[in-house]
């Protein structure tokens, strides 16, 4: 296995538009950009950096500047249990993304209350849709990154097609998803603290 240096990958994000309209049929778009500053492409297995999942997990902090208080969000914990050994685990090709040197790659999610049906909850928990909660018309807000994310566990040099189809044969889905010690290289983390806070407001 090739000895690899930790890739230099930076992150940026944006919210567009910054006026959250309650009367609009569409929500603002939250975009996370990753840029590879290495001298060659790398391909990552993006299981952790999905904005919609990060929103659901409460990875972002929303602070109400009008009321000077943090807006508490509904948090969902995702559990990914290892299937029994006799169950086939397909390789999730859509999770692989190539980061070319100097070219930002974007991951997007609607920044609003999900319009999909709520997931079943425990008997003592109310059914609530995922997404952003607690926003009020006329209030100013600050969106900041929380802690505990920004981790890329699996990555390899090269473009997606050559990475998932190496000369030894196509990657094994179970190995990639669950056998973390079999990753080609040690994972890396980018500096989420460098993400600037985003100001936004709510209108009718």
């Amino acid at each position: 296995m090739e000895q690899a240096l930790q890739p230099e990958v930076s992150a940026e994000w944006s919210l567009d538009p910054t006026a959250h309209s309650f009367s609009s049929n569409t929500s603002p778009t939250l975009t996370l950009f990753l840029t590879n500053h290495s001298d060659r492409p790398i391909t990552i297995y993006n299981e952790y950096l999905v904005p919609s999942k990060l929103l659901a997990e409460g990875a972002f902090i929303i602070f109400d500047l009008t009321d000077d208080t943090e807006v508490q969000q509904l948090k969902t914990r995702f559990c990914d249990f290892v299937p029994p050994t006799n169950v086939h685990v397909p390789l999730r090709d859509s999770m692989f993304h190539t980061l070319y040197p100097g070219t930002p790659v974007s991951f997007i999610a609607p920044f609003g209350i999900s319009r999909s049906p709520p997931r079943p909850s425990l008997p003592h928990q109310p059914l609530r849709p995922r997404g952003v909660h607690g926003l009020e018309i006329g209030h100013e807000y600050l969106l900041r990154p929380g802690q505990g994310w920004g981790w890329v566990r699996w990555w390899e040099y090269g473009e997606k097609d050559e990475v998932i189809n190496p000369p030894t044969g196509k990657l094994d889905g179970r190995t990639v998803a669950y056998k973390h010690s079999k990753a080609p290289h040690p994972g890396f983390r980018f500096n989420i603290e460098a993400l600037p806070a985003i100001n936004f407001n709510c209108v009718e």
Side-chain angles (χ1 to χ4, degrees):
M1 180 183 295
E2 178 181 1
Q3 184 66 30
L5 297 175
Q6 176 174 307
E8 183 183 354
V9 177
S10 65
E12 297 181 9
W13 65 346
S14 69
L15 184 64
D16 184 45
T18 54
H20 191 298
S21 173
F22 277 76
S23 61
S24 175
N25 291 325
T26 58
S27 300
T29 299
L30 178 65
T31 306
L32 177 66
F33 302 92
L34 298 183
T35 302
N36 173 18
H37 301 283
S38 305
D39 59 359
R40 51 178 165 162
I42 65 171
T43 294
I44 66 171
Y45 184 70
N46 186 28
E47 58 196 326
Y48 299 132
L49 303 177
V50 182
S52 58
K53 183 178 180 181
L54 291 170
L55 274 171
E57 292 176 331
F60 307 134
I61 297 172
I62 300 176
F63 192 82
D64 189 329
L65 296 172
T66 304
D67 285 346
D68 193 30
T69 184
E70 182 178 336
V71 183
Q72 298 299 318
Q73 298 296 306
L74 175 68
K75 298 179 182 180
T76 300
R77 185 175 182 86
F78 293 88
C79 297
D80 195 8
F81 297 103
V82 181
T85 55
N86 62 338
V87 175
H88 172 65
V89 178
L91 185 69
R92 292 180 284 184
D93 292 21
S94 62
M95 302 281 278
F96 292 87
H97 300 270
T98 299
L99 308 183
Y100 294 94
T103 304
V105 174
S106 61
F107 304 93
I108 65 174
F111 187 77
I113 294 179
S114 173
R115 300 182 187 280
S116 59
R119 298 186 66 181
S121 60
L122 297 176
H124 63 281
Q125 294 178 330
L127 283 177
R128 296 176 64 192
R130 292 178 181 172
V132 182
H133 297 271
L135 304 183
E136 298 184 45
I137 295 173
H139 284 220
E140 299 284 337
Y141 296 93
L142 203 61
L143 178 66
R144 298 185 301 209
Q147 298 181 342
W149 63 283
W151 173 249
V152 175
R153 177 185 63 82
W154 195 105
W155 68 277
E156 178 59 288
Y157 290 116
E159 299 181 4
K160 175 178 176 176
D161 287 345
E162 62 180 312
V163 166
I164 65 177
N165 295 287
T168 53
K170 189 169 184 177
L171 294 178
D172 177 70
R174 178 181 293 272
T175 299
V176 173
Y178 300 110
K179 296 184 179 181
H180 294 186
S181 64
K182 300 291 186 180
H185 311 288
F188 65 90
R189 188 180 299 277
F190 56 82
N191 184 16
I192 60 174
E193 295 179 355
L195 291 173
I198 298 176
N199 289 85
F200 70 97
N201 65 299
C202 288
V203 297
E204 292 186 8

